[in-house]
């Protein structure tokens, strides 16, 4: 099954009540945790701004009193640039990882729902430990790769978005395929599957990366990607002789 066919098949799952229950649960988790983070950030801002953190307030006061206005303006602009860059980096890079963490917790439920509805082979449950390890690996990889790629993004200019989608598409696509494939396949088989279908993996992750820019839609995108990966894996040959485990 081509990845595009798998994606559009996953969209048909949106017509099922059971699938929407999973989507709504994922949305509640996402909105709830984002709300906690926003409240925490606002609390920190007001604590510093109103002097609830004495050392920070004293430092800012000394800075305002003794630093020349020119340097003060330059440092302020620099800080604004740093904060803006961090905010942009957080939205563009960390936010998709955060949503993936939520769906990693629910991936088994989504995959099981799709497998049951379409008559696929029912996979085994992925342990929370394995899901957590996969998520930490994704977090480290996505942040590390994009930090290293920042100079390349700057150099490429108008072409940077294309490179960004391809690079992150591979990382996210690999993650979503592994989430589902480990339910029915051995580690070696999953690796071989990804290697044989590298461009389909990039396309899957690329679609997810693009959907992250669409408000509201980005809340349900991770679940749709898990459903897409489930359809794709269950509609293609999964094993080859070289991927079978060796006998002891």
């Amino acid at each position: 099954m081509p990845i595009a066919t798998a994606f559009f098949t996953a969209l048909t799952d949106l017509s099922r009540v059971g699938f929407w229950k999973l989507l709504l649960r994922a949305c509640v988790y996402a909105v709830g945790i984002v709300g906690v983070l926003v409240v925490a950030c606002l609390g920190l801002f007001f604590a510093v701004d109103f002097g609830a953190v004495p050392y920070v307030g004293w430092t800012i006061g000394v800075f305002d009193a003794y630093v020349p206005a020119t340097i003060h303006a330059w440092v302020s602009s620099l800080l604004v640039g740093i904060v803006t860059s961090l905010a942009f980096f957080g939205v563009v890079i960390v936010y998709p990882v955060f949503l993936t963490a939520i769906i990693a917790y629910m991936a088994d439920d989504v995959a099981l729902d799709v497998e049951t509805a379409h008559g696929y082979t029912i996979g085994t449950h992925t342990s929370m430990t394995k899901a957590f390890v996969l998520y930490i690996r994704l977090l480290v990889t996505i942040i590390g790769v994009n930090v290293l790629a920042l100079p390349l993004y700057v150099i490429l200019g108008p072409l940077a978005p294309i490179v960004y989608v391809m690079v992150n598409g591979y990382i996210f696509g690999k993650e979503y395929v592994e989430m589902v494939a480990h339910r029915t396949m051995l580690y070696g088989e999953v690796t071989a599957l990804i290697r044989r279908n590298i461009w389909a993996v990039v396309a899957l992750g690329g679609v997810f990366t693009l959907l992250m820019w669409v408000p509201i839609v980005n809340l349900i995108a991770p679940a749709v990607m898990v459903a897409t990966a489930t359809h794709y894996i269950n509609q293609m040959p999964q094993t080859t002789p070289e991927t079978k485990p060796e006998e002891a």
Side-chain angles (χ1 to χ4, degrees), residues 3-20:
I3 195 67
T5 304
F7 175 70
F8 287 113
T9 305
L11 292 182
T12 65
D13 288 315
L14 294 174
S15 63
R16 293 189 293 104
V17 175
F19 194 74
W20 267 106

Side-chain angles (χ1 to χ4, degrees), residues 33-50 53 83 86-87 90:
I33 297 177
V34 168
V36 170
L37 292 175
V38 170
V39 170
C41 290
L42 288 176
L44 179 61
F45 170 78
F46 284 113
V48 173
D49 191 50
F50 290 105
V53 183
V83 171
L86 289 175

Side-chain angles (χ1 to χ4, degrees), residues 215-237:
I216 307 301
V217 173
N218 55 25
L219 294 176
I220 67 173
V224 174
M225 292 300 102
V226 170
T228 300
T230 304
H231 287 299
Y232 184 70
I233 291 170
N234 282 277
Q235 293 292 332
M236 65 180 299

Side-chain angles (χ1 to χ4, degrees), residues 9 12 17-20 31 33 47 49 66 79 95 120 131-132 143 162 165 168-169 190 201 213 219 234 239 248:
T9 305
T12 65
V17 175
F19 194 74
W20 267 106
V31 172
I33 297 177
D49 191 50
Y66 296 100
L79 290 176
Y95 182 62
Y120 298 144
F132 179 75
I143 293 178
I162 299 176
V165 170
N168 290 276
V190 175
V201 171
W213 292 83
L219 294 176
N234 282 277
T239 60

Side-chain angles (χ1 to χ4, degrees), residues 137-163:
R137 187 186 67 183
L138 171 66
L139 180 64
V140 173
T141 302
I142 203 74
I143 293 178
V145 168
N146 281 279
V147 167
L148 293 175
L150 280 177
L152 181 61
Y153 294 155
V154 174
I155 293 172
L156 291 176
L159 297 178
I162 299 176
V163 177

